[in-house]
Amino acid sequence: MTTIEIEAERAPLGELVLRVWGTAPSPAVLLGSALLAPSGLVTVGKGASADLRIAEPTVSDRHVSIEHRGDSILVADLCSKNGTTLLGHRISRAEIAPGARLGLGRVLLEVTPAVRAGETLTSRAPLPGLVGASLPMLRLADRVRRYAKLAVPLLIRGESGTGKELVARAAHEASEVTGAFVAINAATFSRELAESELFGHRRGAFTGAIADRRGAFREAHAGTLFVDEVAQLSLDVQAKLLRVVEEGVVRPVGADGATRVDVRLVAATCEPLEAEVERGRFRRDLYERLAVCVVRVPPLRERLVDLPELARYLLAELRLERMRVMPSALAALSSRAFPGNVRELRSILLLAAIAAGDSNVIAHAHVEAAFIERDGPSSTISYEEASATLRASDGNQSRTARALGVPRTTLRDLLLRGGVEPVKRSRR
């Protein structure tokens, strides 16, 4: 056994992230992670006394320690059974730099900076109402708090199920507005009713208008109006929305005059608005007004480190707080791409809890059973076969799934693992 000294850069190092990845059957399985602050020390192992516990037989109870010395990182093997390796050599102690990878038995320990070079986070607190303190969520919280007090629209981008309305509520709470938070979803009402929902109407303005309606903008006066799925608004309603943003006045349907409003507009979309502008389905002038302050809500697959906390929260929300999620179950969950994000995780945890029954312990087998119940039997189809069939089907994922004989969700997971993002087909 040798000691390897690697010259480390002597500039002060910030907070570090330790991630442990499974190397079999897939290197994409995140087994656990932890933050390491300057002057801190983290021990890694499978025993109860380890700070970062890993459910892996080839890892010792106390396998290795990682010490943050401010301007350097010291790794020490703790007389582990299977040893610690660095650059292919078994080590006892080593001074490493951020980005180093260590072998612990059959797993890989990665040491990376918690923030990008030159990046400064003003707060280490996640947004209220959102679960998870991973770096992507802290970056989101930092940006939302920076934008919250600005008197300009905010655009929230993110996949379905990532919690865009929760982000909008957090922005409202962090702002200096005193009025109400009003939320509407543009995809839930017809084109004919969109104008009335947003701007209100006068009694008798159209068939069925039996009483005056204030509309969302006037209800949100002195507060925040959250418009989800803003890309679903028709072009004529977009034009009227732009006028409200620019002039601060609304004209209810059937009214003779306009009413002044003071509203912070927060819009959200899971659609690529730039592409919608190029296709002529979204007004460029409105896009330019909305896209000044933009935040992106990270999908679940980019913050799998939050899985343990999310699992506890969702199970409590389902009144299943007695359920304990085993590390093997978390490893199984970490292997999934989660195209449905937190909503999908919630459904899988419920199915896994049902499979676990009275044991009150969700194990790997229960998660796998949930996957099968949700998606059907697992497929042995390779990524190469799936991508070739997708190309032959002109990118149509539904047609590809039928051709392969697998559920569409199984196909999406397989493609996401290969780095292919799902493409939303245009609506006719």
Side-chain angles (χ1 to χ4, degrees):
M1 183 178 294
T2 60
T3 297
I4 297 178
E5 295 291 339
I6 296 180
E7 185 63 30
E9 187 176 345
R10 293 305 176 181
L13 301 173
E15 198 170 40
L16 301 170
V17 178
L18 311 182
R19 294 186 179 90
V20 180
W21 301 91
T23 58
S26 166
V29 178
L30 181 66
L31 302 181
S33 66
L35 289 174
L36 178 58
S39 302
L41 184 144
V42 169
T43 58
V44 183
K46 72 170 186 282
S49 62
D51 301 310
L52 177 52
R53 295 183 62 185
I54 305 300
E56 163 57 46
T58 61
V59 173
S60 297
D61 286 348
R62 286 173 56 84
H63 196 110
V64 70
S65 67
I66 316 292
E67 182 182 358
H68 194 323
R69 292 187 165 183
D71 60 359
S72 64
I73 309 162
L74 182 65
V75 177
D77 183 82
L78 302 178
C79 300
S80 64
K81 179 179 179 181
N82 293 309
T84 301
T85 60
L86 174 65
L87 302 176
H89 298 275
R90 188 163 177 168
I91 62 169
S92 58
R93 292 167 64 86
E95 190 174 319
I96 64 173
R101 292 185 170 190
L102 305 166
L104 317 181
R106 292 187 302 187
V107 303
L108 187 69
L109 172 60
E110 183 180 52
V111 182
T112 57
V115 296
R116 304 185 186 100
E119 180 181 20
T120 301
L121 297 180
T122 58
S123 172
R124 286 292 178 183
L127 291 174
L130 280 87
V131 178
S134 61
L135 183 58
M137 294 301 284
L138 292 179
R139 286 190 178 120
L140 171 67
D142 184 72
R143 180 159 291 191
V144 168
R145 291 189 175 105
R146 288 172 186 264
Y147 291 158
K149 293 179 173 58
L150 301 179
V152 293
L154 175 66
L155 179 62
I156 302 175
R157 314 186 77 151
E159 298 175 7
S160 177
T162 52
K164 294 187 288 295
E165 182 171 343
L166 294 175
V167 174
R169 288 183 180 275
H172 170 73
E173 294 297 328
S175 71
E176 297 177 347
V177 300
T178 58
F181 176 86
V182 178
I184 63 172
N185 189 321
T188 61
F189 43 73
S190 68
R191 174 177 177 176
E192 293 73 20
L193 292 178
E195 190 174 351
S196 174
E197 292 285 342
L198 284 167
F199 315 123
H201 64 249
R202 290 288 185 259
R203 176 182 177 183
F206 52 84
T207 303
I210 59 175
D212 288 352
R213 182 180 182 87
R214 288 173 55 79
F217 266 101
R218 289 201 291 168
E219 288 177 359
H221 179 66
T224 301
L225 173 60
F226 173 60
V227 182
D228 200 3
E229 303 293 353
V230 69
Q232 300 300 316
L233 293 174
S234 62
L235 288 171
D236 56 336
V237 175
Q238 290 176 31
K240 294 172 182 177
L241 177 60
L242 176 64
R243 182 186 179 193
V244 179
V245 173
E246 291 185 330
E247 300 178 11
V249 295
V250 296
R251 185 185 296 275
V253 179
D256 295 329
T259 302
R260 183 159 295 278
V261 291
D262 179 16
V263 172
R264 170 72 182 278
L265 178 64
V266 179
T269 180
C270 59
E271 303 285 349
L273 282 187
E274 299 86 349
E276 295 296 291
V277 169
E278 293 302 320
R279 296 186 185 107
R281 290 199 286 262
F282 199 84
R283 292 180 61 101
R284 184 177 296 276
D285 48 8
L286 178 58
Y287 169 75
E288 296 297 341
R289 290 305 303 264
L290 295 181
V292 177
C293 295
V294 182
V295 295
R296 175 181 174 270
V297 187
L300 182 54
R301 62 184 173 277
E302 293 182 6
R303 57 183 193 103
L304 293 176
V305 68
D306 291 328
L307 270 177
E309 188 179 357
L310 273 169
R312 287 192 295 270
Y313 175 83
L314 293 172
L315 287 171
E317 191 177 61
L318 291 165
R319 298 183 181 179
L320 294 170
E321 54 276 338
R322 67 184 182 282
M323 285 285 179
R324 187 161 59 95
V325 184
M326 298 294 289
S328 62
L330 290 172
L333 290 169
S334 296
S335 69
R336 192 172 177 90
F338 288 106
N341 292 292
V342 178
R343 288 197 193 106
E344 182 179 345
L345 174 61
R346 186 179 190 274
S347 298
I348 289 172
L349 285 171
L350 176 59
L351 293 173
I354 293 172
D358 294 335
S359 68
N360 290 338
V361 175
I362 297 177
H364 183 282
H366 304 133
V367 173
E368 291 295 334
F371 289 164
I372 292 172
E373 183 168 348
R374 182 179 171 90
D375 301 334
S378 60
S379 171
T380 58
I381 296 168
S382 67
Y383 165 73
E384 290 74 16
E385 183 180 358
S387 59
T389 307
L390 182 67
R391 288 193 298 271
S393 302
D394 297 325
N396 187 310
Q397 292 192 19
S398 296
R399 193 186 311 159
T400 302
R402 288 194 297 270
L404 295 172
V406 298
R408 193 169 184 272
T409 51
T410 300
L411 173 67
R412 284 190 302 179
D413 276 3
L414 182 60
L415 292 173
L416 281 169
R417 291 188 192 112
V420 177
E421 293 286 343
V423 177
K424 293 184 179 294
R425 300 183 65 82
S426 60
R427 298 181 180 178
R428 300 287 182 184

